[in-house]
Protein backbone atom coordinates (compact mmCIF):
# COMPACT_ATOMS: atom_id res chain seq x y z
CA UNK A 1 0.00 0.00 0.00
CA UNK A 2 1.37 3.35 -1.03
CA UNK A 3 1.70 5.91 1.74
CA UNK A 4 1.57 9.70 1.50
CA UNK A 5 3.12 12.49 3.52
CA UNK A 6 0.96 15.55 4.00
CA UNK A 7 1.88 19.11 4.78
CA UNK A 8 -0.57 21.52 6.44
CA UNK A 9 -0.51 25.16 5.40
CA UNK A 10 -2.29 27.22 8.03
CA UNK A 11 -2.86 25.42 11.38
CA UNK A 12 -6.17 27.06 12.31
CA UNK A 13 -9.35 25.53 13.70
CA UNK A 14 -10.33 23.72 10.49
CA UNK A 15 -6.84 22.24 10.23
CA UNK A 16 -7.34 20.71 13.67
CA UNK A 17 -10.45 18.93 12.41
CA UNK A 18 -8.45 17.71 9.43
CA UNK A 19 -5.60 16.48 11.61
CA UNK A 20 -7.97 14.58 13.92
CA UNK A 21 -9.38 12.72 10.92
CA UNK A 22 -5.91 11.97 9.60
CA UNK A 23 -5.20 9.94 12.73
CA UNK A 24 -7.43 7.18 11.35
CA UNK A 25 -5.70 6.95 7.99
CA UNK A 26 -3.56 3.89 7.42
CA UNK A 27 -1.61 5.45 4.57
CA UNK A 28 -1.60 9.18 5.18
CA UNK A 29 0.46 11.10 7.72
CA UNK A 30 1.04 14.78 8.43
CA UNK A 31 4.80 15.26 8.43
CA UNK A 32 5.08 19.05 8.21
CA UNK A 33 3.16 22.20 9.11
CA UNK A 34 3.73 25.80 8.10
CA UNK A 35 2.41 29.00 9.63
CA UNK A 36 3.37 32.65 9.66
CA UNK A 37 3.46 32.19 13.44
CA UNK A 38 6.20 29.76 14.39
CA UNK A 39 4.71 29.42 17.87
CA UNK A 40 1.32 28.48 16.45
CA UNK A 41 2.91 25.92 14.14
CA UNK A 42 4.84 24.38 17.04
CA UNK A 43 1.71 24.07 19.17
CA UNK A 44 -0.05 22.32 16.29
CA UNK A 45 2.94 20.06 15.64
CA UNK A 46 3.20 19.06 19.30
CA UNK A 47 -0.51 18.27 19.45
CA UNK A 48 -0.42 15.97 16.43
CA UNK A 49 3.16 14.66 16.69
CA UNK A 50 4.32 16.35 13.48
CA UNK A 51 8.05 16.20 12.94
CA UNK A 52 8.74 19.34 10.86
CA UNK A 53 7.70 22.93 11.49
CA UNK A 54 8.10 25.91 9.16
CA UNK A 55 7.43 29.62 9.61
CA UNK A 56 7.90 30.12 5.85
CA UNK A 57 5.30 28.71 3.45
CA UNK A 58 7.85 28.34 0.66
CA UNK A 59 9.98 26.13 2.87
CA UNK A 60 7.04 23.73 3.07
CA UNK A 61 6.76 23.75 -0.73
CA UNK A 62 10.46 22.90 -1.01
CA UNK A 63 10.18 19.96 1.40
CA UNK A 64 10.87 16.95 -0.85
CA UNK A 65 9.35 14.67 1.79
CA UNK A 66 5.89 16.22 1.40
CA UNK A 67 3.58 14.76 -1.27
CA UNK A 68 0.31 16.60 -0.66
CA UNK A 69 -0.43 20.00 0.85
CA UNK A 70 -3.67 20.81 2.64
CA UNK A 71 -4.45 24.55 2.53
CA UNK A 72 -6.54 25.72 5.49
CA UNK A 73 -5.98 29.47 5.46
CA UNK A 74 -8.72 32.15 5.01
CA UNK A 75 -10.42 32.23 1.60
CA UNK A 76 -8.51 35.21 0.25
CA UNK A 77 -5.18 33.37 0.44
CA UNK A 78 -6.27 30.17 -1.32
CA UNK A 79 -5.51 31.20 -4.89
CA UNK A 80 -1.95 32.44 -4.40
CA UNK A 81 -1.03 29.61 -2.04
CA UNK A 82 -2.51 26.89 -4.26
CA UNK A 83 -0.75 28.45 -7.24
CA UNK A 84 2.62 28.24 -5.48
CA UNK A 85 1.96 24.64 -4.44
CA UNK A 86 1.02 23.55 -7.94
CA UNK A 87 4.02 25.32 -9.45
CA UNK A 88 6.18 23.40 -6.96
CA UNK A 89 4.71 20.12 -8.22
CA UNK A 90 2.74 19.38 -5.05
CA UNK A 91 -0.70 17.78 -4.99
CA UNK A 92 -3.19 20.15 -3.35
CA UNK A 93 -6.31 19.77 -1.22
CA UNK A 94 -7.64 23.28 -0.63
CA UNK A 95 -10.46 24.14 1.75
CA UNK A 96 -13.71 25.43 0.29
CA UNK A 97 -14.14 27.73 -1.43
CA UNK A 98 -11.15 26.70 -3.51
CA UNK A 99 -10.73 30.31 -4.64
CA UNK A 100 -12.63 33.58 -4.42
CA UNK A 101 -13.73 33.63 -8.08
CA UNK A 102 -14.40 31.23 -10.95
CA UNK A 103 -11.65 32.92 -12.97
CA UNK A 104 -9.10 32.05 -10.30
CA UNK A 105 -10.19 28.41 -10.17
CA UNK A 106 -10.01 28.09 -13.95
CA UNK A 107 -6.44 29.40 -13.79
CA UNK A 108 -5.51 26.82 -11.13
CA UNK A 109 -7.13 23.97 -13.07
CA UNK A 110 -5.03 24.78 -16.12
CA UNK A 111 -1.93 24.98 -13.92
CA UNK A 112 -2.69 21.60 -12.32
CA UNK A 113 -3.15 20.05 -15.75
CA UNK A 114 0.11 21.57 -17.00
CA UNK A 115 2.01 20.19 -14.00
CA UNK A 116 0.07 16.89 -13.86
CA UNK A 117 -0.77 17.21 -10.18
CA UNK A 118 -4.03 16.85 -8.30
CA UNK A 119 -6.04 19.92 -7.36
CA UNK A 120 -9.00 19.12 -5.14
CA UNK A 121 -11.49 21.46 -3.53
CA UNK A 122 -12.18 20.26 0.00
CA UNK A 123 -15.96 20.48 0.21
CA UNK A 124 -16.18 17.68 2.74
CA UNK A 125 -19.92 17.15 2.26
CA UNK A 126 -19.50 15.94 -1.31
CA UNK A 127 -17.41 12.97 -0.13
CA UNK A 128 -19.75 11.71 2.60
CA UNK A 129 -21.15 8.24 1.80
CA UNK A 130 -24.64 9.02 3.09
CA UNK A 131 -25.11 11.60 0.35
CA UNK A 132 -23.95 9.19 -2.35
CA UNK A 133 -26.51 6.66 -1.12
CA UNK A 134 -29.25 9.30 -1.02
CA UNK A 135 -28.42 10.31 -4.58
CA UNK A 136 -28.48 6.70 -5.79
CA UNK A 137 -31.88 6.08 -4.21
CA UNK A 138 -33.28 9.29 -5.71
CA UNK A 139 -31.99 8.27 -9.13
CA UNK A 140 -33.75 4.92 -8.64
CA UNK A 141 -37.03 6.78 -8.09
CA UNK A 142 -37.34 6.73 -4.30
CA UNK A 143 -39.08 10.13 -4.21
CA UNK A 144 -40.10 10.41 -7.84
CA UNK A 145 -38.66 13.28 -9.85
CA UNK A 146 -36.97 16.07 -7.89
CA UNK A 147 -39.14 19.18 -7.99
CA UNK A 148 -37.12 21.52 -5.80
CA UNK A 149 -34.47 21.67 -3.08
CA UNK A 150 -34.81 24.00 -0.12
CA UNK A 151 -32.19 24.64 2.56
CA UNK A 152 -31.11 27.14 5.16
CA UNK A 153 -27.83 27.69 6.92
CA UNK A 154 -27.11 30.30 9.52
CA UNK A 155 -25.14 31.02 12.67
CA UNK A 156 -25.08 34.00 15.02
CA UNK A 157 -21.38 34.58 14.50
CA UNK A 158 -21.57 38.00 16.18
CA UNK A 159 -21.46 36.04 19.44
CA UNK A 160 -18.26 34.18 18.48
CA UNK A 161 -15.04 36.18 18.28
CA UNK A 162 -12.90 34.27 15.74
CA UNK A 163 -15.45 33.73 12.96
CA UNK A 164 -16.83 37.22 13.47
CA UNK A 165 -13.43 38.77 12.87
CA UNK A 166 -12.65 36.65 9.79
CA UNK A 167 -16.06 36.79 8.13
CA UNK A 168 -16.47 40.53 8.63
CA UNK A 169 -13.43 41.50 6.58
CA UNK A 170 -13.65 42.08 2.79
CA UNK A 171 -9.87 41.61 2.44
CA UNK A 172 -10.33 38.03 3.71
CA UNK A 173 -13.26 37.41 1.33
CA UNK A 174 -15.69 37.47 4.24
CA UNK A 175 -19.45 37.15 4.26
CA UNK A 176 -22.03 34.41 4.64
CA UNK A 177 -22.08 33.18 1.05
CA UNK A 178 -18.54 31.85 0.62
CA UNK A 179 -18.45 30.36 4.09
CA UNK A 180 -22.00 29.00 4.45
CA UNK A 181 -24.15 29.41 1.36
CA UNK A 182 -21.65 27.43 -0.68
CA UNK A 183 -22.94 24.25 0.99
CA UNK A 184 -26.48 24.82 -0.26
CA UNK A 185 -25.21 25.52 -3.77
CA UNK A 186 -22.80 22.61 -4.01
CA UNK A 187 -25.25 20.04 -2.62
CA UNK A 188 -28.04 21.25 -4.90
CA UNK A 189 -25.57 20.86 -7.74
CA UNK A 190 -24.68 17.36 -6.51
CA UNK A 191 -28.29 16.20 -6.68
CA UNK A 192 -29.46 18.09 -9.77
CA UNK A 193 -26.22 17.68 -11.78
CA UNK A 194 -26.62 20.93 -13.69
CA UNK A 195 -25.81 24.62 -13.65
CA UNK A 196 -28.71 26.99 -12.98
CA UNK A 197 -30.16 28.84 -15.96
CA UNK A 198 -31.35 31.73 -13.80
CA UNK A 199 -30.14 33.18 -10.49
CA UNK A 200 -32.00 35.77 -8.42
CA UNK A 201 -30.87 36.95 -5.01
CA UNK A 202 -31.53 39.53 -2.37
CA UNK A 203 -29.76 40.17 0.88
CA UNK A 204 -28.22 42.52 3.38
CA UNK A 205 -24.67 43.85 3.48
CA UNK A 206 -22.67 44.80 6.54
CA UNK A 207 -21.18 48.26 7.06
CA UNK A 208 -17.94 46.93 5.59
CA UNK A 209 -19.72 45.68 2.47
CA UNK A 210 -19.72 41.89 2.87
CA UNK A 211 -22.93 39.89 2.76
CA UNK A 212 -24.53 39.38 6.16
CA UNK A 213 -27.35 37.27 4.73
CA UNK A 214 -28.97 36.32 1.43
CA UNK A 215 -32.02 34.56 0.01
CA UNK A 216 -31.29 32.97 -3.34
CA UNK A 217 -33.46 31.29 -5.97
CA UNK A 218 -31.81 29.05 -8.56
CA UNK A 219 -33.86 27.98 -11.59
CA UNK A 220 -32.88 25.18 -13.95
CA UNK A 221 -33.74 24.52 -17.59
CA UNK A 222 -35.35 21.24 -16.52
CA UNK A 223 -38.02 23.12 -14.57
CA UNK A 224 -36.44 22.30 -11.21
CA UNK A 225 -35.56 24.83 -8.53
CA UNK A 226 -33.29 25.30 -5.55
CA UNK A 227 -33.79 27.93 -2.90
CA UNK A 228 -31.62 28.73 0.09
CA UNK A 229 -30.93 31.29 2.76
CA UNK A 230 -27.60 31.82 4.46
CA UNK A 231 -26.79 34.14 7.34
CA UNK A 232 -23.90 34.94 9.62
CA UNK A 233 -26.09 36.87 12.06
CA UNK A 234 -28.97 34.46 12.82
CA UNK A 235 -29.10 30.84 13.89
CA UNK A 236 -31.15 28.74 11.48
CA UNK A 237 -32.48 25.18 11.53
CA UNK A 238 -29.64 24.24 9.16
CA UNK A 239 -31.62 21.60 7.30
CA UNK A 240 -32.12 20.64 3.66
CA UNK A 241 -35.27 19.24 2.04
CA UNK A 242 -35.11 17.49 -1.33
CA UNK A 243 -38.70 17.42 -2.56
CA UNK A 244 -39.84 14.99 -5.23
CA UNK A 245 -43.11 14.20 -6.99
CA UNK A 246 -43.73 11.18 -4.73
CA UNK A 247 -41.94 12.02 -1.48
CA UNK A 248 -39.10 13.96 0.03
CA UNK A 249 -35.76 13.59 1.81
CA UNK A 250 -34.75 15.47 4.93
CA UNK A 251 -31.10 16.06 5.65
CA UNK A 252 -31.27 17.06 9.33
CA UNK A 253 -29.49 19.69 11.42
CA UNK A 254 -26.10 20.63 9.96
CA UNK A 255 -27.01 19.08 6.62
CA UNK A 256 -23.49 19.66 5.25
CA UNK A 257 -22.04 17.38 7.95
CA UNK A 258 -24.51 14.61 7.38
CA UNK A 259 -24.40 11.01 8.54
CA UNK A 260 -28.16 10.42 8.51
CA UNK A 261 -30.92 11.01 5.97
CA UNK A 262 -34.69 10.41 6.19
CA UNK A 263 -36.95 9.43 3.28
CA UNK A 264 -40.62 10.38 3.58
CA UNK A 265 -43.72 9.32 1.73
CA UNK A 266 -47.04 11.04 2.58
CA UNK A 267 -45.45 12.54 5.72
CA UNK A 268 -44.39 9.12 6.95
CA UNK A 269 -40.72 8.21 7.30
CA UNK A 270 -40.29 5.08 5.20
CA UNK A 271 -36.50 4.75 5.23
CA UNK A 272 -33.55 6.00 7.23
CA UNK A 273 -29.94 5.88 6.07
CA UNK A 274 -27.28 6.20 8.75
CA UNK A 275 -23.53 5.96 8.25
CA UNK A 276 -21.80 7.41 11.34
CA UNK A 277 -18.48 9.13 10.73
CA UNK A 278 -15.49 7.06 11.78
CA UNK A 279 -13.76 10.31 12.76
CA UNK A 280 -15.43 13.65 12.03
CA UNK A 281 -16.31 13.56 8.32
CA UNK A 282 -12.98 14.77 6.97
CA UNK A 283 -11.72 11.21 6.65
CA UNK A 284 -13.66 10.69 3.41
CA UNK A 285 -12.03 13.50 1.45
CA UNK A 286 -8.60 12.58 2.81
CA UNK A 287 -8.89 9.02 1.52
CA UNK A 288 -10.45 10.13 -1.77
CA UNK A 289 -7.51 12.45 -2.49
CA UNK A 290 -5.03 9.61 -2.03
CA UNK A 291 -7.19 7.28 -4.12
CA UNK A 292 -7.27 9.81 -6.95
CA UNK A 293 -3.50 10.27 -6.89
CA UNK A 294 -2.99 6.51 -7.08
CA UNK A 295 -5.34 6.40 -10.08
CA UNK A 296 -3.60 9.29 -11.82
CA UNK A 297 -6.63 11.58 -11.53
CA UNK A 298 -6.30 15.35 -11.18
CA UNK A 299 -9.53 15.60 -9.16
CA UNK A 300 -12.31 13.43 -7.79
CA UNK A 301 -15.46 12.58 -9.71
CA UNK A 302 -17.34 13.42 -6.50
CA UNK A 303 -16.22 17.06 -6.76
CA UNK A 304 -14.76 17.76 -10.16
CA UNK A 305 -12.96 20.86 -11.39
CA UNK A 306 -16.01 21.61 -13.53
CA UNK A 307 -18.23 21.45 -10.44
CA UNK A 308 -15.94 23.76 -8.46
CA UNK A 309 -15.92 26.31 -11.27
CA UNK A 310 -19.71 26.09 -11.64
CA UNK A 311 -20.31 26.74 -7.94
CA UNK A 312 -17.95 29.72 -8.02
CA UNK A 313 -19.74 31.11 -11.08
CA UNK A 314 -23.01 30.97 -9.15
CA UNK A 315 -21.43 32.76 -6.19
CA UNK A 316 -19.80 35.33 -8.48
CA UNK A 317 -23.26 36.18 -9.84
CA UNK A 318 -24.88 36.32 -6.40
CA UNK A 319 -22.18 38.66 -5.08
CA UNK A 320 -22.59 40.84 -8.16
CA UNK A 321 -26.35 41.09 -7.64
CA UNK A 322 -25.93 41.92 -3.96
CA UNK A 323 -23.16 44.46 -4.57
CA UNK A 324 -20.47 42.64 -2.59
CA UNK A 325 -17.04 43.89 -3.64
CA UNK A 326 -13.72 42.40 -2.63
CA UNK A 327 -10.35 44.12 -3.13
CA UNK A 328 -8.89 43.56 -6.60
CA UNK A 329 -5.76 41.93 -5.21
CA UNK A 330 -7.73 38.96 -3.82
CA UNK A 331 -10.22 38.51 -6.68
CA UNK A 332 -8.01 38.54 -9.77
CA UNK A 333 -6.21 35.59 -11.35
CA UNK A 334 -2.72 35.44 -12.82
Amino acid sequence: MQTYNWGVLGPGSIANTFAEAMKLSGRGKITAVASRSLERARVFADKYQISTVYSDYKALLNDANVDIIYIATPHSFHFEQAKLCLEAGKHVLVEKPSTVSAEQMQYLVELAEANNVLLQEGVWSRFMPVLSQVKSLIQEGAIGDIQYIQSNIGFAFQNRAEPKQRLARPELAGGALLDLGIYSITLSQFFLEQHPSSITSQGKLTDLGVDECELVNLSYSTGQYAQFTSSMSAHASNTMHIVGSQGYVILPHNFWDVDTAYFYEHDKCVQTIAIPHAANGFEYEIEEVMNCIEQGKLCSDLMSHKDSISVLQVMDEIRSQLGVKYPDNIIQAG
Side-chain angles (χ1 to χ4, degrees):
M1 178 176 63
Q2 187 171 353
T3 59
Y4 295 91
N5 292 331
W6 290 71
V8 171
L9 200 160
S13 59
I14 199 73
N16 278 270
T17 306
F18 174 85
E20 289 292 338
M22 185 67 76
K23 290 178 180 179
L24 294 187
S25 178
R27 55 179 174 161
K29 181 181 180 182
I30 303 173
T31 59
V33 57
S35 173
R36 289 171 297 181
S37 166
L38 186 58
E39 179 182 359
R40 195 177 188 187
R42 283 175 174 162
V43 169
F44 187 85
D46 290 344
K47 183 176 181 179
Y48 297 106
Q49 299 180 324
I50 300 168
S51 57
T52 306
V53 174
Y54 297 111
S55 60
D56 180 355
Y57 292 152
K58 290 186 178 180
L60 176 63
L61 307 186
N62 292 328
D63 188 334
N65 192 47
V66 171
D67 306 304
I68 314 166
I69 294 178
Y70 171 60
I71 299 175
T73 52
H75 312 329
S76 57
F77 298 109
H78 289 180
F79 172 71
E80 284 297 336
Q81 291 169 346
K83 179 173 178 285
L84 290 172
C85 292
L86 295 170
E87 288 172 342
K90 301 295 188 184
H91 300 292
V92 174
L93 172 64
V94 56
E95 257 308 316
K96 61 84 188 166
S98 50
T99 58
V100 174
S101 69
E103 180 186 13
Q104 288 182 335
M105 185 57 181
Q106 182 62 53
Y107 184 100
L108 293 183
V109 168
E110 293 172 6
L111 187 58
E113 291 171 348
N115 287 279
N116 195 34
V117 287
L118 175 136
L119 168 64
Q120 184 63 60
E121 182 175 19
V123 187
W124 61 327
S125 312
R126 293 284 288 254
F127 304 93
M128 293 179 182
V130 162
L131 290 182
S132 292
Q133 286 204 19
V134 168
K135 184 175 180 179
S136 293
L137 287 170
I138 290 175
Q139 291 175 333
E140 292 169 8
I143 61 170
D145 298 324
I146 294 178
Q147 304 297 300
Y148 63 90
I149 298 175
Q150 193 170 43
S151 60
N152 60 78
I153 178 169
F155 293 93
F157 282 134
Q158 67 269 22
N159 300 325
R160 296 163 60 181
E162 189 278 327
K164 176 184 176 182
Q165 181 183 33
R166 175 174 60 83
L167 295 178
R169 296 167 60 182
E171 69 273 20
L172 295 180
L177 181 65
L178 267 64
D179 212 68
L180 305 176
I182 184 174
Y183 286 118
S184 292
I185 298 168
T186 194
L187 291 187
S188 294
Q189 178 195 64
F190 180 68
F191 291 114
L192 297 175
E193 295 188 336
Q194 54 187 309
H195 188 82
S197 56
S198 174
I199 301 168
T200 57
S201 55
Q202 55 186 324
K204 178 183 178 182
L205 305 187
T206 67
D207 293 341
L208 294 178
V210 301
D211 55 300
E212 179 179 308
C213 61
E214 49 264 321
L215 187 153
V216 179
N217 290 289
L218 307 175
S219 303
Y220 298 85
S221 59
T222 52
Q224 297 164 308
Y225 298 88
Q227 181 186 67
F228 73 90
T229 57
S230 54
S231 173
M232 61 180 191
S233 61
H235 197 88
S237 67
N238 296 316
T239 57
M240 173 174 277
H241 290 66
I242 307 161
V243 181
S245 56
Q246 298 175 26
Y248 57 94
V249 180
I250 296 179
L251 303 181
H253 182 68
N254 290 2
F255 67 85
W256 56 92
D257 178 18
V258 66
D259 62 6
T260 307
Y262 303 95
F263 282 74
Y264 281 80
E265 205 173 281
H266 303 300
D267 294 325
K268 180 182 178 182
C269 184
V270 295
Q271 184 173 2
T272 300
I273 300 175
I275 306 177
H277 300 328
N280 53 32
F282 271 57
E283 61 268 27
Y284 307 118
E285 67 178 13
I286 289 171
E287 295 304 316
E288 178 68 5
V289 163
M290 293 184 287
N291 287 337
C292 288
I293 293 171
E294 285 187 356
Q295 297 167 23
K297 293 182 177 181
L298 302 188
C299 66
S300 171
D301 296 334
L302 293 170
M303 187 67 197
S304 68
H305 291 158
K306 180 181 177 181
D307 285 350
S308 292
I309 292 170
S310 175
V311 170
L312 284 162
Q313 287 172 336
V314 172
M315 295 197 295
D316 285 349
E317 175 61 23
I318 293 169
R319 288 202 326 274
S320 176
Q321 291 183 15
L322 296 179
V324 177
K325 296 186 184 301
Y326 295 138
D328 288 343
N329 66 307
I330 71 163
I331 198 83
Q332 294 174 343

